[in-house]
Amino acid sequence: MNIADVMIIIVFVLLVLFVLVFLVVGLYLLFIDRTQKQHPILRNYPLLGRVRYFLETIGPELRQYLYNSNDEGKPFSRNDFQHIVKQAKYKRNVVGYGSQRDFEEPGFYIRNSMFPKLTEELKMDQETKVTTNRYHLLKEPLFTQKKEVLEENESSAYLLDDEDAIVIGKNIKHPFIVKGQIGMSAMSYGSLGDHAITALSKGLAIAKGAWMNTGEGGLSEYHLKGGVDIIMQIGPGLFGVRDREGNFSWEALREKSQIPEIKAFEIKLAQGAKTRGGHIDGEKVTEEIARIRMVEPFKSIDSPNRFKEFSDFPSLFHFMERIREETGKPVGMKCVIGSMHEADELAKAIKDTGKGPDFITVDGGEGGTGASYQELADSVGLPIKAALPLVNNALIKYGVRDQVKIIASGKLFSPDRIAIALAMGADLVNIARGFMITVGCIQALKCQSNACPVGVATTDSHLQKALVIDEKKHRTANYLISMRKGLFRLASAAGLDSPVHFKPEHIVYKDERDHVYSLEEVYQSIVKGVNNEGS
């Protein structure tokens, strides 16, 4: 018997074994499906029903990559996602042929100037340079991998001029001076893993002029890895500033305030995607995270809906004043706006008491989260373009706008969205998910499960190996630098020498019938209830 005959026999035997195994497994599953009591489809259509459940499981991936159009996906469309990735990877955001925006739909537009500013007329920090690594695309064939090289690139940091620097808490001992208008929104260690937090810290530090917010999970060593400026958030759970009984610890606060990277503190009243205290599943609560938060490991954490230390604006402001006295650093608040009444009540309290926050972070309902409840994420709290004018107008109305800076957040992941937010009254903006995408997020929508496949929103050490810090930190820096460059580009187009000068007169709104309204007219509709047609 020659070797060919032997191979034929072996293949035949293997084929028979495969068929037998397939039949045995099929009969076993048939019996299981017929006798189980949970799924009616499997009882009536055994085996075939499993195909249905399989297709249902991979449906999100099929829609994301195959069936959704470029501008359909949620929370971020394919276009949105790729714009962020291109800025982070290639440090550029150039498109060809034309915009894919639907110009028949209503929306906001930046009012261009007939005589825009030249590059040399822009008022910005011309001295500060930044060196990062970026990819240079050489070839993008259809069936083989892209050909690209990693190269070192030096560019301007695109920071504000010293005269335009934004000062938070100008009358206190240690004011926070900001030369970039974009920072990282609150994302806790625990919600994100240590690799993601470290990469973000280092990347923001490379870009300079930015800050990162710790989120309510408290300060970790990973936030400090890059030496970036930090806003330490204090949530109702008091993580990082509490004793073992869960009470607020002034001693712990004073210890944190001695850390030079911490430039300000933020009291979190609410978050856009969850107008309540935070939540983190037990499987994410490692022993290290439990130590930082002073809770039990591997048990789910639900922060209270509000602080027990205060219950109204006067007591909140008293609490802020005490923190300011103990630390000498600015104190702000993060909130969600539900109506004009809340904005007016806040501004009036600041005027009446003569106290209050050094900054207010207005978080829109469209903002993201590691874990929330659908009814809260979908329906509680106004989106940022409705909330921001209410707060800005209320502060102006009660004559306290000059003493409070406004930070806006809620899907402000592109220069044009940021410019519109600045014109609506924001001084600064926070970004969360845009920065998550720079370190590898693919919108798997599994942040709450500790099973993030790219190692971003997970504390699983095995999954985190996918996230290479020394590569992703440059993507974070590239994205931030590109965003600031884009802001100056838009300011130039609007005839401004700096994005700090965006005002309502620089924005117009076009309705579905091509009627155009100034942002001032839209403001009237939002803050005074004037029903301008189409606005």
Side-chain angles (χ1 to χ4, degrees), residues 12-272:
F12 177 76
V13 171
L14 290 175
L15 184 61
V16 171
L17 288 174
F18 174 79
V19 172
L20 288 174
V21 170
F22 182 80
L23 287 173
V24 170
V25 171
L27 290 171
Y28 174 75
L29 293 177
L30 179 68
F31 174 77
I32 294 295
D33 292 346
R34 285 288 193 196
T35 56
Q36 58 83 37
K37 300 177 180 180
Q38 185 178 2
H39 302 290
I41 283 182
L42 292 181
R43 284 177 69 87
N44 284 340
Y45 305 100
L47 300 183
L48 185 61
R50 289 181 178 269
V51 176
R52 185 258 189 198
Y53 287 120
F54 171 74
L55 293 175
E56 182 182 50
T57 300
I58 65 171
E61 288 78 11
L62 292 176
R63 287 188 291 275
Q64 181 178 2
Y65 295 112
L66 296 178
Y67 302 131
N68 277 345
S69 69
N70 285 342
D71 59 357
E72 272 186 327
K74 300 292 183 182
F76 292 86
S77 70
R78 187 180 294 113
N79 278 340
D80 294 337
F81 181 85
Q82 289 183 349
H83 287 328
I84 295 171
V85 170
K86 286 177 181 177
Q87 290 177 91
K89 190 174 181 181
Y90 303 110
K91 208 173 182 179
R92 67 198 305 260
N93 188 24
V94 179
V95 298
Y97 202 65
S99 172
Q100 294 187 40
R101 178 176 181 171
D102 186 348
F103 290 98
E104 301 300 318
E105 291 293 317
F108 290 96
Y109 291 83
I110 297 168
R111 181 179 172 184
N112 64 291
S113 171
M114 291 292 184
F115 304 98
K117 294 290 183 182
L118 298 173
T119 301
E120 56 267 27
E121 294 179 298
L122 294 177
K123 187 180 177 184
M124 67 179 185
D125 181 344
Q126 302 285 355
E127 303 297 324
T128 305
K129 305 294 181 183
V130 176
T131 300
T132 65
N133 292 338
R134 70 174 184 183
Y135 287 89
H136 178 62
L137 184 62
L138 301 175
K139 195 174 183 181
E140 193 170 10
L142 183 60
F143 295 109
T144 57
Q145 197 168 6
K146 294 179 183 179
K147 292 184 179 180
E148 50 193 10
V149 294
L150 190 63
E151 61 183 18
E152 192 175 90
N153 175 262
E154 183 183 76
S155 68
S156 170
Y158 294 96
L159 297 175
L160 301 175
D161 185 80
D162 286 343
E163 290 184 7
D164 290 330
I166 296 165
V167 182
I168 302 175
K170 59 183 178 181
N171 295 320
I172 64 177
K173 186 176 180 181
H174 302 292
F176 181 22
I177 301 173
V178 181
K179 291 189 65 178
Q181 291 173 285
I182 306 168
M184 191 191 91
S185 192
M187 292 193 285
S188 300
Y189 171 49
S191 180
L192 302 190
D194 59 89
H195 282 215
I197 294 292
T198 301
L200 291 166
S201 175
K202 291 186 175 182
L204 293 167
I206 290 171
K208 303 178 182 178
W211 67 91
M212 74 184 309
N213 190 307
T214 64
E216 67 172 293
L219 180 73
S220 72
E221 64 178 281
Y222 310 107
H223 291 102
L224 300 170
K225 289 283 188 179
V228 66
D229 290 343
I230 289 175
I231 296 176
M232 181 175 174
Q233 188 179 89
I234 302 172
L238 307 177
F239 305 123
V241 287
R242 62 187 247 165
D243 59 25
R244 295 201 173 275
E245 286 70 46
N247 300 309
F248 190 86
S249 169
W250 293 101
E251 181 181 355
L253 176 73
R254 285 189 291 268
E255 288 178 2
K256 294 294 191 302
S257 71
Q258 298 302 311
I259 298 173
E261 288 85 356
I262 294 181
K263 303 298 183 183
F265 294 89
E266 179 181 78
I267 308 299
K268 177 188 173 182
L269 301 186
Q271 179 181 338

Side-chain angles (χ1 to χ4, degrees), residues 329-347:
K329 296 183 177 182
V331 183
M333 58 183 283
K334 181 174 184 176
C335 62
V336 177
I337 299 298
S339 72
M340 184 167 56
H341 172 74
E342 279 84 11
D344 274 11
E345 189 178 20
L346 169 59

Side-chain angles (χ1 to χ4, degrees), residues 379-398:
S379 301
V380 182
L382 292 172
I384 192 63
K385 287 178 183 173
L388 187 52
L390 295 179
V391 175
N392 185 57
N393 183 74
L395 294 174
I396 293 172
K397 174 181 174 182
Y398 287 96

